[in-house]
Amino acid sequence: MKRLFPLAAFAALLPLAASAVEIYKEGSADDPQVRLSRYLDNDKRHFSALVELRQLAGGTDPLKMPLEFQWRTADNYLGFGMRDRAEAIYRSVAASGGNAKDVARAQLRLCEFDFQRGYNAEARATLYRIREKLAPELIPDWQDLLARVLMAEGRYGEAADVLLKEDNASKQSPFTRYNLGIALLNDGRTAQGQTVLDRVGTLRPGNEEDLALRDRANLTLGWHFLQTQQGGTAKPVLSRVRVDGPFSNRALLGLGWAELAPQGSRIQKSETPDDKAPESRAYTSFSTLGVLIRPGYLDRDVFDRAGMRSFRLRSGDPDTEAALRRALVAWVELISRDPMDPAVQEAWLAIPYTLDQLGAHTQALQYYEKAVEVLETSRERMNAAMASIKQGRMVETIVRRDLDSEAGWDWKLRDLPDAPETYFLQSLLAEHRFQEALKNYRDLRMMSRNLETWRSRLDGIERGYLTTEKAPGNADELVRRALRDTELPYAGTKATLRLDTHLAVPGRYAAKTAPAAPHLPPLALAAPPARFNGPYERTLALKARVGNLREQLGVAGGAQAQLLQDMATQELEGQRKQIERYLIEARFALARLYDRQQKGELGRD
């Protein structure tokens, strides 16, 4: 016997089934196209994400779509560098009751965009305006960004006060602490700035970025001590820099000059009020420059490598001789590195100068001659780099690898191409002004390639329309198709007839009947259309529009490429002038040594 399902139980399950059904709402967080745009956004494909969102909205104003749609649209507009459109949507979201914390994060991103694009006044005004509405966890990011904006404007005192005011040093990143040290030094609060930089320079690194920051802090602090004639204090600080790193060459140069500078005094105890506990000073396993100047850590005598065994001091001061020899240790190591580095070029001048002071005049002459040769080669390479830039290859080579990337403002230069000018532009490539112009150029190139693809597709459609042979149209078939889709006015009407027995017998009517007047329907031929808008005509219109856009992008791309070329040329011109100054110094020093040798003032080595 079959058991029937109870009706009451079935009725109880109906609400559960209804709740399990997802109700589709266009533009909501669960909309498939919105979810696709989120995926594309996370993949840094902002342009494609915007295309999906614009297709979803159709002709609807984005500000009238659901909040999730507006968030996704604004984030991708900003990611692609379209700041003004993103800001308008963010304001709409804030006015319609969007999450306050998310709105604050969006405003910080807008300020970061303004700062990187050089709109410092706008970024500063916005940051001050949103301060009171920020959540506590966003304060460190706000401090860091505002401090960088103020430092870019040269307002170091205000930047330091911003970073010290909240009394939240433990929540600030090492990069923020480094900026604090720089701001304090430039504001004249020397003791506090030195202490902050010293603690950043002794932090326990957790990754490659921390190592680079640690080296930079030590390099900055060490050269600060050199400039204030405190060589003894500079030496241990510079010795903490890694042997192989982005700042090692400059640190080696400073180590040599620190031996010859007045020794000064050591770093004093911390005077920074907001530092609660000292950082760990434990050394890690990587080598530092201190290894190069500590006895017993060299494979062989550095003076053997340099061909410098015996020297004769003119002054006879053993302390001076020892200091000069220690300076040579760092500089001899430095000249074995890339001669295009300005620090290496300066070392080529410092070594013969030191040898001359030690009384090794013949070797000083040899090193000055070698320095002239190295500097001449460097100048030739610099000229080749400038020629490469003027030919327009530099910018295209840099962006070639990521030419189709849609990252927009989020795009980062991942590596440098192997080109003559690349090495000389490392410092320029790290600056916001060059990076942002490079992003603009790369985006213009990407959109140009996109339009080129569409132009090729439209050309294919046009060729297919012109070359395909079509049979002439059949009028009867066209009428048949029209009637097939047309409903007759009396279709389905049924006429019912019945016999009426009450009517009289019809009489006779002999008069002649006049024909009824013909009824002519009020029809007239329609005028031919002024312009037929079929597939072929629409293709031609789109081609014209694509051609116009390509021309505009070409003009904008050329202007942006010229801007990048001008910045690179200006940078290389400054470096070439520095090389020429070094050449002049080397030649004058060489001429003076030859003159003294002719006069017999040098004696025998």
Side-chain angles (χ1 to χ4, degrees), residues 477-514:
E477 180 64 24
L478 293 176
V479 171
R480 191 180 303 112
R481 289 181 184 178
L483 292 176
R484 183 183 60 192
D485 300 330
T486 302
E487 184 177 354
L488 298 176
Y490 300 106
T493 302
K494 294 182 179 181
T496 304
L497 301 178
R498 63 184 178 83
L499 181 62
D500 194 337
T501 60
H502 300 288
L503 293 177
V505 177
R508 294 178 59 88
Y509 184 74
K512 190 183 245 185
T513 58

Side-chain angles (χ1 to χ4, degrees), residues 141-304:
D141 294 336
W142 175 84
Q143 286 179 290
D144 175 69
L145 180 54
L146 180 57
R148 284 185 284 140
V149 171
L150 292 171
M151 291 173 67
E153 295 180 316
R155 303 162 71 165
Y156 295 102
E158 295 179 48
D161 293 338
V162 166
L163 294 176
L164 293 173
K165 182 178 180 180
E166 300 294 335
D167 193 22
N168 59 347
S170 61
K171 298 180 181 179
Q172 294 174 352
S173 69
F175 293 91
T176 303
R177 303 300 291 169
Y178 173 83
N179 289 338
L180 173 61
I182 297 297
L184 289 169
L185 286 181
N186 282 280
D187 192 46
R189 289 177 263 184
T190 305
Q192 291 182 350
Q194 291 172 354
T195 302
V196 172
L197 286 179
D198 183 56
R199 291 186 174 177
V200 175
T202 54
L203 62 84
R204 186 184 297 276
N207 50 45
E208 189 66 26
E209 289 184 353
D210 290 345
L211 283 172
L213 179 64
R214 175 174 174 157
D215 286 350
R216 183 169 183 176
N218 287 319
L219 178 68
T220 302
L221 185 58
W223 276 92
H224 167 74
F225 286 130
L226 279 178
Q227 292 168 353
T228 55
Q229 301 296 307
Q230 300 181 67
T233 309
K235 283 188 291 185
V237 175
L238 292 171
S239 297
R240 295 195 297 241
V241 180
R242 285 176 294 169
V243 175
D244 292 316
F247 306 103
S248 58
N249 289 357
R250 186 72 177 164
L252 280 169
L253 180 65
L255 270 175
W257 289 121
E259 297 292 348
L260 307 182
Q263 296 305 291
S265 58
R266 297 290 175 179
I267 298 177
Q268 302 300 316
K269 188 177 179 180
S270 171
E271 298 181 24
T272 305
D274 59 350
D275 286 325
K276 305 301 182 184
E279 297 281 353
S280 171
R281 294 176 179 267
Y283 286 97
T284 56
S285 59
F286 61 85
S287 299
T288 62
L289 293 180
V291 173
L292 293 178
I293 58 174
R294 285 188 289 169
Y297 284 84
L298 295 174
D299 294 335
R300 52 181 176 155
D301 186 9
V302 68
F303 299 108
D304 290 343

Side-chain angles (χ1 to χ4, degrees), residues 12 16 32 42 47 62 83 105 136 170 307 345 428 431 437 464 542 555 559:
L16 297 177
N42 294 334
F47 185 79
R83 180 214 181 275
R105 287 196 180 96
S170 61
Q345 295 167 2
L428 177 64
E431 296 182 13
L542 287 174
V555 173

Side-chain angles (χ1 to χ4, degrees), residues 248-456:
S248 58
N249 289 357
R250 186 72 177 164
L252 280 169
L253 180 65
L255 270 175
W257 289 121
E259 297 292 348
L260 307 182
Q263 296 305 291
S265 58
R266 297 290 175 179
I267 298 177
Q268 302 300 316
K269 188 177 179 180
S270 171
E271 298 181 24
T272 305
D274 59 350
D275 286 325
K276 305 301 182 184
E279 297 281 353
S280 171
R281 294 176 179 267
Y283 286 97
T284 56
S285 59
F286 61 85
S287 299
T288 62
L289 293 180
V291 173
L292 293 178
I293 58 174
R294 285 188 289 169
Y297 284 84
L298 295 174
D299 294 335
R300 52 181 176 155
D301 186 9
V302 68
F303 299 108
D304 290 343
R305 284 189 287 160
M308 302 177 292
R309 286 188 173 276
S310 60
F311 305 97
R312 180 174 60 83
L313 281 175
R314 288 183 294 177
S315 62
D317 183 357
D319 293 336
T320 302
E321 178 183 4
L324 290 169
R325 288 177 178 271
R326 288 194 299 271
L328 284 173
V329 173
W331 290 337
V332 168
E333 166 65 25
L334 184 53
I335 63 172
S336 66
R337 304 189 177 193
D338 194 328
M340 301 310 299
D341 192 315
V344 177
Q345 295 167 2
E346 186 171 337
W348 274 107
L349 297 180
I351 286 178
Y353 163 79
T354 305
L355 292 173
D356 185 31
Q357 297 299 311
L358 287 168
H361 306 300
T362 301
Q363 291 170 330
L365 281 170
Q366 295 172 352
Y367 269 88
Y368 272 128
E369 290 172 349
K370 180 63 176 176
V372 170
E373 179 183 343
V374 169
L375 292 170
E376 284 285 5
T377 302
S378 299
R379 184 167 65 173
E380 292 176 2
R381 290 181 60 185
M382 186 69 69
N383 291 335
M386 295 184 70
S388 177
I389 289 177
K390 291 178 180 179
Q391 291 173 1
R393 296 197 302 262
M394 184 266 297
V395 177
E396 190 67 23
T397 303
I398 290 177
V399 302
R400 183 178 300 162
R401 175 173 176 179
D402 293 326
L403 196 58
D404 293 324
S405 172
E406 302 175 12
W409 179 50
D410 293 331
W411 179 72
K412 303 295 182 185
L413 185 61
R414 291 184 291 176
D415 51 19
L416 299 178
D418 184 13
E421 65 276 8
T422 296
Y423 181 85
F424 314 112
L425 296 176
Q426 291 188 52
S427 59
L428 177 64
L429 289 172
E431 296 182 13
H432 285 314
R433 62 189 181 99
F434 191 88
Q435 284 276 343
E436 296 305 309
L438 190 63
K439 292 176 186 177
N440 289 340
Y441 176 78
R442 194 202 56 77
D443 289 343
L444 290 168
R445 293 286 290 112
M446 184 274 292
M447 288 188 285
S448 294
R449 286 173 61 86
N450 195 357
L451 287 177
E452 184 66 27
T453 301
W454 276 107
R455 187 186 66 83
S456 300

